[in-house]
Amino acid sequence: MSVATAPSQTALTAAETDPQTLGWMQGFPPPPDKTITFHSGSFRSFPELRWAWSNIRQLVPTVNVWRGAGPASALPRAEHDIGASASVTMDGRPMTFARMLEETYVDGIAVLHRGKLIYERYFGALKPHKPHIAMSVTKSFTGTLAGILIAEGKIDPQAPVTDYVPELKASAFGDARVHETMDMTTGLEYTEIYTDKNSGVFGLRRANGMAPIEPGYEGATNIFDFLCAQKKQGEHGKAFAYKTVNSDVLAFICRRASGMTLSDLLSERIWIPMGAEEDAHYHVDRIGTESGGGGLSTTLRDVARFGETIRNHGRFNGRQIVPSHVIEDIARGGDREKFKPAGYTTLPGASYRNQWWVTHNAHGAFMARGVHGQGIYIDPMAEMVIARYASHPAAGNAANDPVTLPAYMALAKDLMAGG
Amino acid sequence: MSVATAPSQTALTAAETDPQTLGWMQGFPPPPDKTITFHSGSFRSFPELRWAWSNIRQLVPTVNVWRGAGPASALPRAEHDIGASASVTMDGRPMTFARMLEETYVDGIAVLHRGKLIYERYFGALKPHKPHIAMSVTKSFTGTLAGILIAEGKIDPQAPVTDYVPELKASAFGDARVHETMDMTTGLEYTEIYTDKNSGVFGLRRANGMAPIEPGYEGATNIFDFLCAQKKQGEHGKAFAYKTVNSDVLAFICRRASGMTLSDLLSERIWIPMGAEEDAHYHVDRIGTESGGGGLSTTLRDVARFGETIRNHGRFNGRQIVPSHVIEDIARGGDREKFKPAGYTTLPGASYRNQWWVTHNAHGAFMARGVHGQGIYIDPMAEMVIARYASHPAAGNAANDPVTLPAYMALAKDLMAGG
């Protein structure tokens, strides 16, 4: 996550890589040079991923997160064109909110202010009713579900991971505590460097179903086996290190503690009570396990609803969906000293708490973040939520933060000033 | 389709093969001997298929058929326990409606009488909100969509197939007419014998994504290439022969004529106006093509809604969804002389018209039929619709018909008599 260099194609702009304009996956069948497939791996290339992240279900097996049979919850509108909201990027360039969307390859953006949807735009291959892959925003759902189960007494954050998943005994997680997976302070050999094909994350992708498995491959072919094979490096509890396997372990803890699949748990505890507009889905591995670290796809409006639920201390659609103290605990943040050595230059003074990123900025903003620029940005002071799906060519938010974070703060100030 | 022998496990009853009782795919992760996967091919074995046909989306890539943002249409209820309705099987055994459900491995059954849902039961791994794979019931949707496009003047049934899909010029379809694919009277070398691994249908499954492709496989790896490679045998227009490739060609004709994917076409023309309760989905091949011959999955209630739409001459949810003459043309049936040589002993005097099976029985019943016992049975005289999902061990309705068809007729008579 800390390493993020853009591929050579970054010279191509969002407009130049619009999947519709480029004709990707159009025609019956699409022409060979406009066809995107899973087996070839082309779905991960840029600009192909601009189509793929809005159509992941056509590429890999998935499981539904049912929205229930009731009506969608109200999402009141108060249209407000914030496109001209002005900011200055971290490297000193003048920027507008609208221009920021283009520069960061946004597929969809929804801004809520005081619970009203003031701005909603779609680009690329995304449509209001279509799910977009949230990638690591998924982790913040997993953490929130874990928080709910802790509040119910079903998970003890101080307990050993092996109390819930004894099969991890011989792995790196054999002497880890639940809260260390929540806060990603485990000591692991696993690495998550998206530009290094030998990095652990490439094995995780094969295991979780997001990369083809070549004949003769001898690594794990499902998430559980991959987790059981993880080796320890260093000590647990000492420092934050962003490693997706923690989220996948936490997802297994949630399943074992609740007796439910992650998809049914999310449906029952959040998607149905929240009054989601559309079913969500997780991609699954070869034995049906949801990717709790990156596999969720939702519509933009539904992730906005979730963000608003969090901003409202867990209350939405007339119900207390998440206990307020679970969210207050997240918003207070984690250990900033443990976060510092990770070296996120765009997030000075930040921390990581229960699968959420906490800025500790003047507004107390906190975030869910996905690797191609997906995100939820919650600004409690400005009563603002930004939900965003994107397909940035660079894998890593270091490519987005210098442009997006100042734009979010500027917008927050505009809204607080009644602008 | 005419060949249908049951595997050796048919001794096991529906109750003995209940996926829930057997523990298939339960646990996190499920134990290896209770795990069902696509890559191993185990999802096609019995009793594993009893889980798989209600969970196909977890095994293969799919594309949504959106239900729209509106409320589900009303499906008024008038509960009536018809379980004791008595019949005699074709081989002379006394039977009840409830016992018929067990004997034919039903996963879900919905009976409508005069537009009211009088009976609805779920078994196996099916739930009211979960889609079940319809398999060849899909064909009747494709045919109905083709009928709509013909009514709109977008397809000419007398035109050569190559008017819509010129790439088929060198194939068996190079000199076929559209109506010959609708009625399955093309002359093809392709065979559809589910018990013969060398039969054409096994290649179609690899092409359409419903069977793993082994390394080194040299056949077609997508539906379009498979269709283009089909060879002619005999003459077109002479005799009915049930061959799924006709439906897949018809699906391509629909796409080319409408400019829409099959999933978007079904959504726009039927799923949204019908007020479906849940999204449906198609499984897709490696390049995103829906299987128009067998890939649709829907909930039981939604396939019941579709059946009722057809029974009502295309009118449902306050709208004329399918032009009435399209349905009247289907109900009148096809050429019975061309059907006869196919030798369906359980369907004497029947015909096949535009992807529907027409009994020409005393009630004028017609049907959509899937290979593991899925079906829609429309009895116009009794104002009765039976929608049914099943996971029969035998691939072929010869295993169901001797029990189901007399039970349906007996029920129709009971309902007409006010019983």
Side-chain angles (χ1 to χ4, degrees):
Chain A
M1 192 70 175
S2 54
V3 174
T5 56
S8 56
Q9 299 94 327
T10 42
L12 292 173
T13 65
E16 286 164 352
T17 57
D18 181 276
Q20 198 66 23
T21 310
L22 292 181
W24 287 110
M25 294 299 272
Q26 292 172 34
F28 317 108
D33 65 337
K34 295 295 183 185
T35 297
I36 296 167
T37 74
F38 174 74
H39 298 86
S40 67
S42 64
F43 75 111
R44 277 202 174 276
S45 302
F46 184 83
E48 289 91 328
L49 60 80
R50 301 214 61 205
W51 179 87
W53 296 166
S54 292
N55 289 285
I56 199 68
R57 200 158 214 180
Q58 294 188 43
L59 297 164
V60 293
T62 53
V63 62
N64 247 29
V65 177
W66 190 43
R67 63 169 295 284
S73 57
L75 205 54
R77 285 171 181 275
E79 194 70 31
H80 180 174
D81 189 352
I82 55 171
S85 172
S87 56
V88 176
T89 67
M90 288 184 191
D91 53 352
R93 291 182 297 129
M95 184 58 56
T96 64
F97 198 85
R99 175 77 195 134
M100 174 274 289
L101 301 180
E102 287 176 47
E103 277 209 10
T104 55
Y105 301 83
V106 161
D107 294 325
I109 187 130
V111 179
L112 289 108
H113 183 225
R114 296 182 179 154
K116 294 212 166 88
L117 186 59
I118 63 168
Y119 191 78
E120 183 187 16
R121 297 288 187 280
Y122 294 88
F123 307 90
L126 194 60
K127 304 242 180 298
H129 70 277
K130 282 183 72 172
H132 187 291
I133 190 162
M135 296 197 168
S136 293
V137 171
T138 306
K139 294 177 171 70
S140 305
F141 285 87
T142 304
T144 305
L145 289 170
I148 293 172
L149 295 174
I150 290 169
E152 292 174 2
K154 294 197 172 76
I155 295 176
D156 173 3
Q158 299 304 323
V161 166
T162 53
D163 276 11
Y164 304 92
V165 194
E167 298 94 324
L168 290 171
K169 188 71 201 169
S171 80
F173 300 98
D175 61 348
R177 305 265 157 189
V178 172
H179 70 88
E180 290 160 346
T181 68
M182 295 169 71
D183 296 346
M184 296 219 193
T185 60
T186 50
L188 304 172
E189 195 180 283
Y190 170 96
T191 55
E192 186 132 347
I193 305 167
Y194 300 116
T195 49
D196 174 6
K197 295 258 177 196
N198 296 314
S199 177
V201 69
F202 284 81
L204 177 59
R205 283 184 191 159
R206 289 189 187 89
N208 74 22
M210 275 291 275
I213 294 179
E214 307 80 9
Y217 179 72
E218 293 185 348
T221 57
N222 66 66
I223 297 172
F224 193 72
D225 288 350
F226 189 83
L227 298 177
C228 289
Q230 292 308 301
K231 295 194 170 61
K232 191 172 174 183
Q233 189 175 85
E235 281 183 73
H236 297 321
K238 295 296 180 196
F240 166 73
Y242 185 84
K243 300 185 175 188
T244 295
V245 285
N246 287 294
S247 313
D248 282 308
V249 167
L250 187 59
F252 270 104
I253 293 169
C254 290
R255 293 179 185 107
R256 295 278 176 98
S258 67
M260 295 173 76
T261 63
L262 196 62
S263 39
D264 283 346
L265 187 62
L266 179 56
S267 171
E268 180 184 292
R269 302 308 175 89
I270 297 178
W271 229 242
I272 292 175
M274 187 177 83
E277 216 166 291
E278 298 289 339
D279 294 345
H281 60 80
Y282 286 96
H283 71 75
V284 293
D285 69 10
R286 292 180 169 213
I287 61 171
T289 319
E290 307 95 339
S291 164
L296 186 66
S297 289
T298 80
T299 65
L300 180 67
R301 284 186 201 142
D302 285 334
V303 79
R305 281 181 172 89
F306 178 68
E308 183 64 13
T309 303
I310 301 299
R311 187 190 72 79
N312 280 324
H313 299 257
R315 199 169 173 80
F316 190 76
N317 197 24
R319 308 174 207 197
Q320 192 70 36
I321 298 168
V322 186
S324 59
H325 67 88
V326 170
I327 289 158
E328 285 142 20
D329 171 77
I330 291 166
R332 268 195 302 277
D335 189 324
R336 297 164 76 175
E337 289 307 311
K338 289 181 182 170
F339 186 87
K340 200 178 286 178
Y344 288 82
T345 54
T346 60
L347 300 174
S351 72
Y352 192 82
R353 175 66 187 137
N354 191 16
Q355 311 283 308
W356 290 81
W357 303 80
V358 185
T359 66
H360 299 280
N361 68 11
H363 289 190
F366 56 108
M367 309 180 277
R369 289 153 70 86
V371 71
H372 286 278
Q374 304 97 323
I376 308 172
Y377 183 91
I378 296 167
D379 183 325
M381 190 175 293
E383 301 168 273
M384 177 185 84
V385 171
I386 299 174
R388 162 197 165 98
Y389 278 131
S391 47
H392 197 290
N397 276 299
N400 291 302
D401 288 345
V403 185
T404 54
L405 294 182
Y408 296 170
M409 181 54 89
L411 176 61
K413 288 179 177 167
D414 287 353
L415 294 174
M416 288 168 75
Chain B
M1 192 72 175
S2 54
V3 174
T5 57
S8 57
Q9 299 93 327
T10 42
L12 292 174
T13 66
E16 287 163 350
T17 57
D18 181 276
Q20 198 66 23
T21 311
L22 292 181
W24 287 110
M25 293 300 272
Q26 292 171 35
F28 316 107
D33 66 336
K34 295 294 184 186
T35 298
I36 296 166
T37 74
F38 174 74
H39 297 87
S40 68
S42 63
F43 75 112
R44 278 203 174 274
S45 302
F46 185 83
E48 289 93 325
L49 62 80
R50 300 215 62 206
W51 179 87
W53 296 167
S54 292
N55 290 283
I56 199 68
R57 199 158 215 180
Q58 295 188 45
L59 298 164
V60 293
T62 52
V63 63
N64 247 31
V65 176
W66 191 43
R67 62 170 294 284
S73 58
L75 205 53
R77 285 171 181 276
E79 195 68 32
H80 180 175
D81 190 353
I82 55 172
S85 172
S87 56
V88 176
T89 67
M90 289 183 191
D91 53 351
R93 292 181 298 129
M95 184 58 55
T96 64
F97 198 85
R99 175 79 194 133
M100 173 274 289
L101 302 179
E102 287 175 47
E103 277 209 11
T104 55
Y105 301 84
V106 161
D107 294 324
I109 188 131
V111 179
L112 289 107
H113 182 225
R114 297 182 179 154
K116 295 212 166 88
L117 186 59
I118 63 168
Y119 191 76
E120 182 187 16
R121 296 288 187 278
Y122 294 88
F123 307 90
L126 194 59
K127 304 243 179 298
H129 70 278
K130 282 182 72 172
H132 188 292
I133 190 162
M135 295 195 168
S136 293
V137 171
T138 307
K139 294 177 172 69
S140 305
F141 284 88
T142 304
T144 305
L145 289 170
I148 293 173
L149 295 175
I150 289 169
E152 293 175 2
K154 293 197 172 77
I155 295 175
D156 173 4
Q158 299 304 324
V161 167
T162 52
D163 276 11
Y164 304 93
V165 194
E167 298 94 323
L168 290 170
K169 187 72 201 167
S171 80
F173 301 98
D175 60 348
R177 306 264 158 190
V178 172
H179 71 87
E180 291 161 344
T181 68
M182 294 169 71
D183 296 346
M184 295 217 194
T185 60
T186 50
L188 304 172
E189 195 180 282
Y190 169 97
T191 56
E192 185 134 348
I193 305 167
Y194 302 116
T195 49
D196 174 6
K197 295 259 177 198
N198 296 314
S199 177
V201 69
F202 284 81
L204 177 59
R205 283 184 191 159
R206 289 190 187 89
N208 74 21
M210 275 291 275
I213 294 180
E214 307 81 8
Y217 180 70
E218 291 184 351
T221 58
N222 66 66
I223 297 171
F224 194 72
D225 289 351
F226 189 82
L227 299 177
C228 288
Q230 291 310 301
K231 294 193 172 61
K232 191 172 174 182
Q233 188 175 88
E235 280 183 74
H236 297 321
K238 295 296 178 197
F240 165 74
Y242 185 83
K243 300 186 176 188
T244 295
V245 285
N246 287 294
S247 313
D248 281 308
V249 167
L250 187 60
F252 269 104
I253 293 169
C254 290
R255 293 178 186 108
R256 295 277 176 99
S258 67
M260 294 173 77
T261 62
L262 197 62
S263 39
D264 283 345
L265 187 63
L266 179 57
S267 170
E268 181 184 291
R269 302 307 176 89
I270 297 178
W271 230 242
I272 293 175
M274 188 177 85
E277 217 166 291
E278 299 289 339
D279 293 345
H281 60 80
Y282 286 97
H283 71 76
V284 293
D285 69 10
R286 292 180 168 213
I287 60 171
T289 319
E290 307 95 341
S291 164
L296 187 67
S297 288
T298 80
T299 66
L300 180 67
R301 285 187 201 141
D302 285 334
V303 78
R305 282 182 171 88
F306 179 67
E308 183 63 13
T309 303
I310 301 299
R311 187 190 73 79
N312 280 323
H313 300 258
R315 197 168 174 81
F316 191 76
N317 196 25
R319 307 172 210 199
Q320 192 70 36
I321 298 168
V322 186
S324 59
H325 67 87
V326 170
I327 290 157
E328 285 142 20
D329 170 77
I330 290 166
R332 268 194 302 274
D335 188 325
R336 297 165 75 174
E337 289 308 310
K338 289 181 183 170
F339 186 88
K340 200 178 286 179
Y344 288 83
T345 54
T346 60
L347 300 175
S351 72
Y352 192 82
R353 175 64 187 138
N354 191 16
Q355 312 283 308
W356 289 82
W357 302 80
V358 185
T359 66
H360 299 279
N361 69 11
H363 289 192
F366 55 107
M367 309 180 277
R369 289 155 69 88
V371 71
H372 286 278
Q374 303 97 324
I376 309 172
Y377 184 91
I378 297 168
D379 183 325
M381 190 174 292
E383 301 168 271
M384 176 184 84
V385 172
I386 299 176
R388 162 197 165 99
Y389 278 130
S391 47
H392 198 291
N397 275 299
N400 291 302
D401 289 345
V403 186
T404 54
L405 294 182
Y408 295 169
M409 182 53 90
L411 176 60
K413 288 178 177 166
D414 287 352
L415 294 175
M416 288 169 74

